Amino acid sequence: MSISRELELFGNHVILGVSSTKLSDDDKRALGELKPVGVIFFGKNFIEGVPYEIWLESFKELIDQIREYAERDSMFMTLDHEGGRVVRTPLPITRFPYAMLLRSQAREVAKATARELKSLGINVSWSPVADVYSNPLNPVIGPRAFGNTTETAAQYALEYYLGLQESGILGCAKHFPGHGDTSTDSHVELPVLNLTVQDLRDRELIPFKALIAAQIPLIMTTHILFPQIDPDVPGTISQRILKNILREELGFEGVVVSDDLDMKAISDMFTQSGTVARAFNAGCDLFILSRNINSSSLERTYYMAKDFADALSQGSLKKEVVTAARQRIENLLAQTPQYIVHALDKATLLRHAELAIACTFQ
């Protein structure tokens, strides 16, 4: 298999980050060689401190360039856009409060958010958070969750997802099988949770079950080690968690996407031969490589592409596993709207700002 073919095959399973408000030479090379099926955007991709129409036009040009170099008309254009501290966009895009404050207005907020995301050309929101905020010392989830009980987390995460879905934005439940009880941050180290499968069933899995029943199309993994369930590897590359629990027990048939593989909890594992095959075999279909946390280098991305190709040629990764993953991705992409970047009127944005303020008064 040629190197270019290897890269493109892997690119069918990659959500890639780009480096700035304009494509660098490395970005152009990666987009042209990998032809990733999607892109994830961050604050670095938006011009700050300029009028709305200027940064919006710049972002439109960036998206147009991405499609040109990737040679794809249809792509997953994605954004972490939960509200609270997880907002990447400049004003006047609405800065809605944390999920914990939305509650009964979750569906209305999601619809307003979806309208704004569509105006940016975004078609996938990495939300809702389906974690239960059960540990008050949790440094990374906290009020990003919709509740500190299974009932509130499930009810309002579902309402938020339905608002996105009704308004034409793909939602993604995260972080499976649950990040709410950790006391460490997987961005900087590997959290460990000594929960049994029954513990998960009694609490963590309940919001995910509600979202699966509503046919949410994407579920994101978590980089957490559950030693009582799988002592060897974190959730993102665990067959017991993704295949046995998510696929078989919960019956999820959609696309399983990794949390960012640049996160310190797992990044080193993906520089080891065989890890990509292990992730595919566990049940992961799609991989986020943000180039945002530890390094903007493409070295790890290209290493993973080679590891993927080696696993296929050596037989540790079966072609039928990759084909099934690719089919799930292609089926979803075929149903995913592609939006044109356009400005929203001031009256709409003012209504959304008033809604954001209203959410903070209980």
Side-chain angles (χ1 to χ4, degrees), residues 198-275:
Q198 191 57 49
D199 290 332
L200 295 181
R201 291 179 183 132
D202 291 342
R203 186 178 60 194
E204 271 70 20
L205 299 185
I206 291 172
F208 289 99
K209 288 176 69 174
L211 289 158
I212 290 169
Q215 297 186 313
I216 196 162
L218 292 144
I219 289 182
M220 183 182 290
T221 69
T222 186
H223 309 323
I224 295 174
L225 186 69
F226 295 87
Q228 294 198 54
I229 301 169
D230 190 335
D232 298 322
V233 289
T236 298
I237 47 181
S238 168
Q239 285 198 37
R240 294 176 190 173
I241 288 171
L242 298 185
K243 185 177 179 183
N244 297 353
I245 298 175
L246 180 56
R247 293 289 192 202
E248 295 173 0
E249 181 175 332
L250 300 187
F252 180 63
E253 297 179 349
V255 172
V256 176
V257 56
S258 77
D259 203 346
D260 187 2
L261 298 184
D262 279 342
M263 292 164 66
K264 191 59 180 173
I266 204 165
S267 58
D268 290 347
M269 297 180 193
F270 278 88
T271 62
Q272 300 169 13
S273 176
T275 305

Side-chain angles (χ1 to χ4, degrees), residues 67-322:
R67 292 187 188 278
E68 176 188 348
Y69 279 93
E71 297 181 323
R72 286 182 180 269
D73 293 326
S74 294
M75 298 182 74
F76 297 118
M77 295 295 183
T78 80
L79 194 67
D80 266 328
H81 199 72
E82 302 169 14
R85 70 176 181 269
V86 187
V87 176
R88 317 299 189 190
T89 49
L91 295 170
I93 298 301
T94 309
R95 305 186 76 82
F96 285 104
Y98 281 110
M100 188 70 74
L101 290 173
L102 304 185
R103 300 299 177 98
S104 63
Q105 293 164 301
R107 199 162 184 160
E108 188 179 357
V109 167
K111 288 181 177 181
T113 297
R115 184 169 183 181
E116 295 185 5
L117 290 176
K118 288 191 290 186
S119 78
L120 299 174
I122 301 297
N123 51 28
V124 177
S125 176
W126 299 121
S127 63
V129 170
D131 303 313
V132 181
Y133 180 23
S134 56
N135 183 350
L137 299 178
N138 192 312
V140 66
I141 300 300
R144 294 170 61 196
F146 283 88
N148 51 17
T149 67
T150 55
E151 294 77 12
T152 54
Q155 178 183 351
Y156 298 119
L158 177 60
E159 284 292 307
Y160 191 91
Y161 163 62
L162 292 174
L164 291 178
Q165 187 267 334
E166 290 164 2
S167 302
I169 291 290
L170 272 64
C172 175
K174 63 185 188 184
H175 309 79
F176 189 85
H179 207 320
D181 196 27
T182 60
S183 57
T184 54
D185 183 351
S186 52
H187 291 83
V188 295
E189 60 183 306
L190 178 65
V192 177
L193 275 180
N194 283 302
L195 301 178
T196 65
V197 173
Q198 191 57 49
D199 290 332
L200 295 181
R201 291 179 183 132
D202 291 342
R203 186 178 60 194
E204 271 70 20
L205 299 185
I206 291 172
F208 289 99
K209 288 176 69 174
L211 289 158
I212 290 169
Q215 297 186 313
I216 196 162
L218 292 144
I219 289 182
M220 183 182 290
T221 69
T222 186
H223 309 323
I224 295 174
L225 186 69
F226 295 87
Q228 294 198 54
I229 301 169
D230 190 335
D232 298 322
V233 289
T236 298
I237 47 181
S238 168
Q239 285 198 37
R240 294 176 190 173
I241 288 171
L242 298 185
K243 185 177 179 183
N244 297 353
I245 298 175
L246 180 56
R247 293 289 192 202
E248 295 173 0
E249 181 175 332
L250 300 187
F252 180 63
E253 297 179 349
V255 172
V256 176
V257 56
S258 77
D259 203 346
D260 187 2
L261 298 184
D262 279 342
M263 292 164 66
K264 191 59 180 173
I266 204 165
S267 58
D268 290 347
M269 297 180 193
F270 278 88
T271 62
Q272 300 169 13
S273 176
T275 305
V276 172
R278 198 163 189 175
F280 270 105
N281 288 328
C284 217
D285 302 313
L286 194 57
F287 302 92
I288 295 177
L289 293 161
S290 76
R291 303 168 60 214
N292 193 58
I293 297 173
N294 297 319
S295 171
S296 61
S297 170
L298 286 166
E299 184 178 343
R300 288 180 61 255
T301 304
Y302 279 85
Y303 176 85
M304 287 178 59
K306 183 179 185 304
D307 191 34
F308 166 78
D310 289 346
L312 277 175
S313 64
Q314 295 163 8
S316 58
L317 176 57
K318 301 298 184 185
K319 184 178 178 181
E320 53 265 31
V321 171
V322 176

